[in-house]
């Protein structure tokens, strides 16, 4: 039988690989360089990473020692990965609604990728005690106050509304 830790390593590598490919293609889109298929590859890779993310989250929680999310690093990983998932869904929906792949769109895709890579860095800190992300406060859980969450929710609805209006027009 395969352990949850092994499944987590496999699913995490799949997620990180797909998101990195997506981020590289979004960077090419932003720089307006590379082949014409870069936007399609960016979105398909983002979708692939997005589909593999729940498996990485579930196996990560199952592989964690203790009774679930007791460590602040694990709470931060969950928060950041869910933020990346939400942003990735927004990027894919925006594209599906007909938005062009401009600098804003590419930037949102790259932020989603950055959140996943930040999450992976926290995972390295938790599992091995080493990471390239050295500025993480170890015992602090990054939770937004209600007013920040409300602003982000309103901003997301405005972006989706703007995309819907552009799509219909």
């Amino acid at each position: 039988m395969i352990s949850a830790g092994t499944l987590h390593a496999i699913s995490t590598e799949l997620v990180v690989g797909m998101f990195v490919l997506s981020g590289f293609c979004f960077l090419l889109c932003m720089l307006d360089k590379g082949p014409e298929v870069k936007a399609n590859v960016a979105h398909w890779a983002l979708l692939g990473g997005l589909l593999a993310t729940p498996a990485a989250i579930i196996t990560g929680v199952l592989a964690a020692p203790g009774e679930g999310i007791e460590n602040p690093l694990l709470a931060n990983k969950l928060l950041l990965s869910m933020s990346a998932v939400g942003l990735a869904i927004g990027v894919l929906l925006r594209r599906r609604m007909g938005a062009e792949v401009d600098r804003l769109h590419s930037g949102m895709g790259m932020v989603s990728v950055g959140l996943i890579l930040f999450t992976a860095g926290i995972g390295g800190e938790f599992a091995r005690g080493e990471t390239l992300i050295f500025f993480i406060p170890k015992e602090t859980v990054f939770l937004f106050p209600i007013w920040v969450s409300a602003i982000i929710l309103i901003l997301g609805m405005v972006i989706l509304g703007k995309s819907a209006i552009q799509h219909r027009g």
Side-chain angles (χ1 to χ4, degrees), residues 22-157:
S22 175
F24 180 70
C25 290
F26 277 125
L27 178 63
L28 290 177
C29 289
M30 184 176 275
L31 297 174
D32 202 23
K33 302 283 185 193
E36 292 298 317
V37 297
K38 61 188 175 262
N40 289 335
V41 172
H43 290 91
W44 281 106
L46 189 64
L47 179 63
L50 189 60
L51 292 174
T53 300
I57 293 171
I58 292 168
T59 57
V61 170
L62 293 175
E67 296 292 321
I69 303 176
E70 297 173 348
N71 189 307
L73 290 175
L74 294 180
N76 285 332
K77 280 184 65 165
L78 190 61
L79 174 72
L80 289 171
S81 62
M82 289 291 101
S83 298
V85 164
L87 192 55
I89 289 171
V91 168
L92 291 173
L93 284 176
R94 190 172 186 272
R95 176 66 172 173
R96 177 82 173 127
M97 296 169 85
E100 65 180 81
V101 183
D102 55 3
R103 290 185 187 273
L104 173 66
H105 188 86
S106 298
M108 289 189 315
M110 288 192 304
V111 168
S112 177
V113 171
L115 289 172
I116 285 293
L117 294 178
F118 195 56
T119 303
I122 293 174
E125 175 71 29
F126 179 75
R128 297 178 305 278
E130 59 187 30
T131 183
L132 290 174
I133 305 167
F134 54 87
F135 53 86
I136 300 170
K138 303 294 188 261
E139 300 300 320
T140 303
V141 177
F142 301 110
L143 294 178
F144 292 128
I146 297 290
W147 64 271
V148 173
S149 298
I151 289 172
I152 291 171
L153 178 66
I154 291 168
L155 182 63
M157 292 181 355

